[in-house]
Amino acid sequence: MTDRDPADSGAPRLAVIGAGPAGLAAAVAAAARGVRVTLLDSATEAGGQFYRQPAAGLNARSPQALHHQWRVWERLRDGLAAHVEAGHVRHLTDHHVWFVERLPAGGFTVHALLGPEQRDPAEVRADAVLLATGGYEKVLPFPGWTLPGVVTAGGAQAMLKGALALSGRTAVVAGTGPLLLPVATGLAAAGVEVAALVESADPKAFLRRTRALAAQPAKVAEGARYAARLLRHRVRLLGRHTVVEAHGTERLEAVTVAALDVDGRVRPGTGRRIPCETLAVGHGMLPHTDLAETLGCGLDGLAVRVDDEQRTDVPGVWAAGEATGIGGAALSLAEGHIAGRSAAARLRGERPDPAGWAAAARTRTRLRAFFAALDSVYAPPARWAERITDDTVVCRCEEVTGGAIRTAVVELGAGDARTVKLMTRAGMGWCQGRVCGPAVAGLAGCELTPSRRPFARPVPLGVLARAGEDEDG
């Protein structure tokens, strides 16, 4: 099915993929400047993970209690609604984009699968594409991490925001990164007894980044507010600690945490067992670059490379938000605004005016520096891979253990993640290595590199067959 908008015959068309902060800011900015925007998103409501809303059927009386920057969300929501009503934006929900095709005559076709079962195909034609595909959580395995009750930090937050649900009455929040703070305070505010916030970063490391941190007083104040809430809810903060093992038979019953030395090794004799029903664990985020890679966009490390206008090195393709580097909602909003204005100007044959987004550009510069400083502090412990035992499942899709991966490396000579994949099937399952990729790279002793995939998500063979028939016809 080709999804056409009969009202857009004369105006340039922009497809924005992703309706989180970056995608919303881009769509609103472009639509306000005479471009017909199609906003595609896999969720049933706009907002992404950051602005995730409770399902309507839950009748949440105070959804703003689960968020900060609520007024920013209201402005974005109302702006999008106004443009949808005016016919400037089509918001296509439940559209799971799996491929963006560059057309020989110019322009693009965005291929998506519809609905929760992701079986019915849809196509959207556009003159340009703006990728606001966000990021996903980095998962580092440890013994017991597959027990029911162990969830990612973002997963715990999504359950709370989207379903008003809790996976247990007692919780430990662990790992590293700024996401742990809102997760711990959110769970505590919802009535969960948060037994500990276990952060592997050394609190003293922040003292070495005071200059970069001081340049963003609003962010420092935000962190201080989270710290005050932790104190109010009597949440213990265990700095430079890590989860060694999760315990339980049919589900999680407790975790063992231990202190780390300066080299990232567990200090002998420091282990302590903490009873809990939930472990929310996270080690930062990774950019979602699948669609960018299939389009041929260049990367800087693991993030999409963009210029000052948020243009990729593929003509007609812009990118904004976490896909260009992890930096939070405020940075995503700034990048999305710049990308939307730039795309609108160039699609209309006009010269972009950077003065129009000067404030957003200054915000972008400051926040990129701020999060670069945070990245140097919130790094996983250097020796985390040593704590993966040989019988720890690393690739859950294919049930590949740490021992199998070590055998491939030590005895069979695998020196990179791709070779390990070929020898062990690690990364060949449903997630295509998105979950186990960092762990496989860590055990193989190699850098985590982007995995080029032909499609951004699994696609039914029937859809591919129909696409091939249409092309031949």
Side-chain angles (χ1 to χ4, degrees):
M1 179 183 73
T2 301
D3 201 340
R4 300 180 184 274
D5 180 1
D8 70 355
S9 56
R13 301 165 298 174
L14 174 67
V16 177
I17 302 173
L24 288 172
V28 170
R33 287 158 182 83
V35 172
R36 298 285 180 179
V37 176
T38 300
L39 177 63
L40 302 98
D41 193 61
S42 59
T44 57
E45 300 287 343
Q49 168 71 358
F50 189 78
Y51 294 122
R52 183 186 291 270
Q53 304 297 306
L58 296 175
N59 297 317
R61 289 176 295 180
S62 302
Q64 65 272 20
L66 300 174
H67 296 267
H68 64 292
Q69 299 183 10
W70 183 258
R71 291 184 179 178
V72 176
W73 156 246
E74 289 180 322
R75 289 197 296 270
L76 287 170
R77 178 196 63 194
D78 295 346
L80 175 65
H83 285 300
V84 169
E85 184 177 358
H88 304 152
V89 175
R90 287 183 301 155
H91 181 200
L92 303 181
T93 61
D94 248 345
H95 278 59
H96 305 259
V97 177
W98 58 274
F99 187 64
V100 178
E101 178 185 5
R102 297 171 66 183
L103 302 177
F108 302 85
T109 298
V110 179
H111 297 269
L113 300 172
L114 300 180
E117 294 185 356
Q118 301 180 38
R119 291 193 174 276
D120 297 325
E123 296 178 358
V124 171
R125 301 289 171 83
D127 301 303
V129 172
L130 198 156
L131 303 174
T133 47
Y136 61 101
E137 284 190 88
K138 181 191 296 184
V139 177
L140 301 180
F142 51 88
W145 76 291
T146 57
L147 280 170
V150 180
V151 297
T152 65
Q157 188 180 58
M159 289 171 61
L160 183 58
K161 287 183 175 181
L164 305 181
L166 306 171
S167 60
R169 295 168 295 177
T170 58
V172 169
V173 178
T176 189
L179 178 61
L180 302 188
L181 289 171
V183 171
T185 55
L187 290 174
V192 176
E193 179 189 345
V194 180
L197 172 56
V198 183
E199 170 59 69
S200 63
D202 185 353
K204 296 178 182 178
F206 290 96
L207 300 178
R208 298 190 291 269
R209 302 291 185 272
T210 53
R211 184 174 180 179
L213 299 179
Q216 283 295 308
K219 284 291 181 183
V220 175
E222 181 181 315
R225 288 193 294 272
Y226 281 127
R229 293 173 191 168
L230 292 176
L231 287 172
R232 187 163 63 248
H233 291 289
R234 298 181 180 179
V235 177
R236 284 184 296 170
L237 174 60
L238 300 177
R240 213 163 78 182
H241 278 65
T242 191
V243 171
V244 176
E245 186 174 358
H247 308 281
T249 50
E250 294 184 357
R251 63 165 290 112
L252 180 70
E253 298 171 6
V255 297
T256 294
V257 304
L260 298 168
D261 64 19
V262 293
D263 295 321
R265 291 188 174 91
V266 170
R267 290 168 51 193
T270 64
R272 67 178 80 178
R273 189 180 177 109
I274 303 176
C276 59
E277 296 176 345
T278 298
L279 171 62
V281 60
H283 292 90
M285 303 282 292
L286 296 170
H288 238 314
T289 60
D290 291 347
L291 291 175
E293 290 178 67
T294 59
L295 280 165
C297 300
L299 304 181
D300 283 332
L302 298 174
V304 181
R305 183 188 307 126
V306 293
D307 65 9
D308 289 344
E309 296 182 31
Q310 300 295 139
R311 293 180 297 174
T312 73
D313 47 18
V314 174
V317 180
W318 281 255
E322 309 281 41
T324 68
I326 305 302
L331 178 56
S332 294
L333 289 169
E335 291 187 354
H337 181 76
I338 294 168
R341 291 185 64 133
S342 168
R346 292 196 176 274
L347 283 171
R348 291 172 60 85
E350 302 168 355
R351 182 185 298 274
D353 180 16
W357 62 70
R362 288 192 295 270
T363 297
R364 178 180 62 183
T365 299
R366 290 195 299 266
L367 286 176
R368 282 180 177 175
F370 176 81
F371 280 97
L374 284 190
D375 283 346
S376 66
V377 174
Y378 286 126
R383 306 290 181 173
W384 62 265
E386 296 176 359
R387 295 192 291 279
I388 299 178
T389 61
D390 283 349
D391 59 354
T392 299
V393 172
V394 173
C395 172
R396 299 180 71 165
C397 297
E398 298 293 329
E399 298 184 347
V400 181
T401 63
I405 294 171
R406 289 191 175 103
T407 297
V409 173
V410 176
E411 298 182 14
L412 302 179
D416 57 75
R418 184 176 183 275
T419 305
V420 170
K421 179 178 180 179
L422 293 173
M423 291 181 171
T424 67
R425 295 190 60 82
M428 287 190 179
W430 181 263
C431 82
Q432 286 293 288
R434 290 174 182 84
V435 174
C436 68
V440 172
L443 286 169
C446 62
E447 290 291 325
L448 179 64
T449 56
S451 299
R452 288 191 173 274
R453 306 177 181 94
F455 308 128
R457 61 178 63 245
V459 186
L461 291 177
V463 172
L464 294 178
R466 287 196 295 271
E469 291 171 1
D470 291 344
E471 191 171 303
D472 293 339

